[in-house]
Amino acid sequence: MLLRHLLAILLLPFMVVVVVPYWLLTSFPVGDIATRWGDDLPLEEPSRLLGVILFTGGLGLFCWCVTLFAKVGRGTLAPWDPTQALIAAGPYRHVRNPMISGVVTMLFGQALVWGSWAIALWAALVLLINHVYFVLIEEPGLEQRFGASYINYKARVPRWIPRW
């Protein structure tokens, strides 16, 4: 079971949160394309601190979700090895996609730490791609797999922004 989770994490979020941002930061010569907003801004240090806080919070949320996928859902985050049970516990009580919220929060945290417009745009693109995927593919698939229980869950729990 641990190997299944590690493989899914390496192939999906690791690529999104580590490999692509690293590529964005190192592939473009500084004079070629402006990928960073500069180190001379007056709010640089608070911005970096906020980035570290966002990244840490996003990582914590992501790890919590992976744990719930294993323990409650009896599956992984990978579409080829999905959960066997509907998860409506922990952060899934407040939003339907907290794992992606964690990933996107980590990316925005990185954008602040590195002062990178490129990573901020990547974070927005990741959110957009996942939104389209959830609406067109994942949610209809969950309705087929879990039936009325997912339809009821979907009616009470918002997709992205929690109702407190």
Side-chain angles (χ1 to χ4, degrees):
M1 181 67 137
L2 179 62
L3 186 59
R4 289 171 43 208
H5 286 283
L6 289 175
L7 179 63
I9 291 167
L10 280 174
L11 291 175
L12 297 170
F14 185 80
M15 295 297 287
V16 169
V17 175
V18 176
V19 174
V20 172
Y22 177 79
W23 175 77
L24 288 170
L25 288 173
T26 60
S27 292
F28 302 104
V30 175
D32 222 13
I33 296 174
T35 61
R36 298 182 188 193
W37 54 72
D39 293 335
D40 56 344
L41 296 176
L43 297 176
E44 177 190 356
E45 289 307 314
S47 173
R48 287 188 174 168
L49 178 61
L50 178 59
V52 168
I53 292 168
L54 285 175
F55 184 87
T56 304
L59 180 61
L61 180 58
F62 173 79
C63 291
W64 188 5
C65 293
V66 169
T67 301
L68 289 170
F69 265 51
K71 292 181 179 181
V72 176
R74 299 181 316 278
T76 72
L77 59 95
W80 59 84
D81 189 13
T83 60
Q84 303 303 308
L86 181 63
I87 303 169
Y92 289 91
R93 289 177 301 172
H94 305 288
V95 290
R96 295 196 305 261
N97 302 297
M99 187 178 298
I100 297 302
S101 297
V103 167
V104 170
T105 301
M106 284 189 279
L107 288 171
F108 279 119
Q110 286 179 328
L112 289 171
V113 167
W114 299 111
S116 173
W117 291 110
I119 294 177
L121 290 173
W122 171 240
L125 182 61
V126 166
L127 182 60
L128 177 65
I129 289 168
N130 278 282
H131 179 76
V132 170
Y133 171 77
F134 289 136
V135 170
L136 297 180
I137 297 170
E138 184 167 280
E139 289 181 359
L142 291 170
E143 284 182 21
Q144 286 182 336
R145 282 183 27 228
F146 299 118
S149 61
Y150 182 74
I151 292 169
N152 291 335
Y153 171 73
K154 195 166 100 168
R156 353 180 272 282
V157 179
R159 185 179 290 122
W160 296 112
I161 300 170
R163 280 183 240 142
W164 302 102

